[in-house]
Amino acid sequence: MRLNPEIFNKLRPGPIPLKRWANQTPPSKVTNPMATIVLFARYMGLKEIPYRTIEKLRFDPYFRYCFYVFLAPFLVYDKDSPSAKVTRQRLLTILKDPDAVTNEDLGRGLSAYLNNFLGLMPGGYKREQFKMIPDLAARVKVITDEVDRVLAEYGMAERANTLAAELNTETSYGEQIEFLKLSLKVFNLLVENHGFDRDRLWK
């Protein structure tokens, strides 16, 4: 599943009618994020992806990221996993009713989308753990310097550091979501304005 979410901006308005899924085997992994959602919807027996859901995918700045849990398909499709069953049901619920999306849905998706980039944010594990490995430390520093520059340029440094410190304590889930949203903004700025490759940041 491609990290680039721009395909959602190109969706046409209106519901997407779906063909019946003909077998019980889960869909194979595909690179197109919208195709991934369509295959899941068919597998789960939906007859269409509603108009409101398509509009939310097109215009909402965060909703589309809920579906990036498909970056690890077994976390959705594993029939022996209780957590995968919960994830399937939540994805099905928000596909049918996009207004039902919760912070938990968004947190799960954003964490999957940002992956190891979170380790490059203030307080991130990559900043600390790689200090003693010169080659890795030098590669990480190239990115963390840019992260810090973006945070300072957009006036987000103080808040990022505060949230990062609070994440190591019993912080509220709302603050965790705020940190993920802030991290997403930095991630996108590095890609769009500083020429970084999404896959490089993700890994």
Side-chain angles (χ1 to χ4, degrees):
M1 186 176 175
R2 264 197 316 268
L3 289 173
N4 191 337
E6 290 176 2
I7 191 170
F8 295 110
N9 302 334
K10 301 174 183 177
L11 288 174
R12 295 180 179 179
I16 296 178
L18 302 172
K19 295 181 180 178
R20 187 174 67 88
W21 190 255
N23 56 62
Q24 295 185 356
T25 306
S28 299
K29 189 174 182 178
V30 295
T31 58
N32 184 312
M34 189 61 208
T36 299
I37 294 172
V38 167
L39 290 173
F40 171 77
R42 289 178 58 203
Y43 176 73
M44 296 298 287
L46 282 187
K47 294 182 179 179
E48 70 170 19
I49 298 178
Y51 169 85
R52 286 191 305 118
T53 305
I54 298 300
E55 292 302 284
K56 197 102 167 173
L57 286 168
R58 292 175 72 203
F59 297 117
D60 188 278
Y62 302 113
F63 181 71
R64 61 188 61 176
Y65 294 102
C66 295
F67 299 94
Y68 274 89
V69 292
F70 286 111
L71 284 165
F74 67 93
L75 295 178
V76 179
Y77 288 120
D78 186 350
K79 289 192 173 182
D80 296 323
S81 167
S83 63
K85 181 178 180 180
V86 170
T87 300
R88 283 196 301 276
Q89 290 305 313
R90 284 305 309 161
L91 292 172
L92 181 62
T93 295
I94 64 176
L95 271 178
K96 293 191 292 187
D97 178 11
D99 293 333
V101 68
T102 65
N103 275 343
E104 286 80 2
D105 299 320
L106 180 57
R108 195 158 43 245
L110 278 176
S111 295
Y113 182 80
L114 293 167
N115 195 32
N116 289 315
F117 178 71
L118 294 170
L120 298 164
M121 289 290 290
Y125 75 92
K126 286 190 175 185
R127 291 180 181 244
E128 296 301 320
Q129 292 183 10
F130 293 166
K131 279 183 178 178
M132 305 305 293
I133 310 172
D135 287 347
L136 285 176
R139 274 183 272 167
V140 165
K141 190 174 186 303
V142 169
I143 305 177
T144 55
D145 283 352
E146 290 300 315
V147 167
D148 292 342
R149 186 173 292 115
V150 167
L151 287 169
E153 181 181 348
Y154 287 84
M156 300 184 292
E158 182 178 353
R159 187 57 181 157
N161 284 301
T162 299
L163 288 169
E166 289 174 351
L167 289 178
N168 294 321
T169 64
E170 292 187 8
T171 185
S172 72
Y173 200 74
E175 288 172 321
Q176 294 176 40
I177 294 297
E178 184 184 350
F179 185 75
L180 287 170
K181 287 181 176 180
L182 189 153
S183 300
L184 176 66
K185 184 172 183 178
V186 174
F187 184 96
N188 287 337
L189 286 168
L190 288 175
V191 171
E192 294 162 9
N193 297 351
H194 295 257
F196 279 88
D197 179 74
R198 285 183 174 86
D199 289 323
R200 179 186 177 191
L201 297 176
W202 189 78
K203 294 173 182 177

